[in-house]
Amino acid sequence: MVEHCIFCKIIAKTLPTQIIEENDSILVIKDIAPKAPIHYLILPKIHRPNLAALTPEDAQHAAEILFMAQALAKKQNIPAFRLVSNNGEQVGQSVFHIHFHFLAGKVLDF
Ligand code: AMP
């Protein structure tokens, strides 16, 4: 847990959130400012600032994110989804705890 990290606080349940799924290594929450009818954030519980900070030792965490996205789609019967991770302020990263946006429920043509 990193002090001042909003997602670490959410993972530690010291900040309220809407939980969609949780397991030992991942928390999935609803994005507070949704950009699509379905907009979840897939958060690994381990703190890493972003993809650029991952090391080969994190391979399992990276794989679990993808399989969580697959499981969400299966469980909620979502036929198509987009998985996005902003890495760096220049491309829109605003929270520096690695996360993937799971977007679905409308045509995304950009
Ligand atoms: P990014 O800009 O790619 O770093 O994504 C951060 C996302 O976190 C944005 O889509 C925000 O709307 C979302 N967000 C920020 N604070 C919260 C919060 N307390 N609960 C849920 N989502 C949040």
Side-chain angles (χ1 to χ4, degrees), residues 6-7 10 17 29-33 35 39 41 86 92-95 99 101:
I6 190 169
F7 287 170
I10 285 174
T17 193
I29 63 170
K30 267 196 183 175
D31 195 293
I32 207 168
K35 309 279 187 307
H39 187 171
L41 297 174
N86 295 319
Q93 186 176 8
S94 60
V95 180
H99 56 280
H101 299 260

Side-chain angles (χ1 to χ4, degrees), residues 24-43:
D24 287 348
S25 51
I26 291 181
L27 184 69
V28 182
I29 63 170
K30 267 196 183 175
D31 195 293
I32 207 168
K35 309 279 187 307
I38 298 170
H39 187 171
Y40 302 148
L41 297 174
I42 303 178
L43 315 175

Side-chain angles (χ1 to χ4, degrees), residues 33-106:
K35 309 279 187 307
I38 298 170
H39 187 171
Y40 302 148
L41 297 174
I42 303 178
L43 315 175
K45 289 186 176 176
I46 190 165
H47 181 94
R48 299 284 185 269
N50 57 27
L51 269 175
L54 290 186
T55 67
E57 286 72 42
D58 295 319
Q60 184 64 28
H61 299 292
E64 281 175 17
I65 292 166
L66 301 183
F67 285 109
M68 176 56 83
Q70 183 195 64
L72 283 169
K74 258 189 206 160
K75 190 169 176 182
Q76 298 189 20
N77 215 13
I78 296 168
F81 63 89
R82 180 177 292 178
L83 208 54
V84 180
S85 186
N86 295 319
N87 287 269
E89 223 169 324
Q90 219 180 7
V91 297
Q93 186 176 8
S94 60
V95 180
F96 284 78
H97 178 122
I98 190 169
H99 56 280
F100 281 69
H101 299 260
F102 180 103
L103 298 151
K106 74 170 187 181

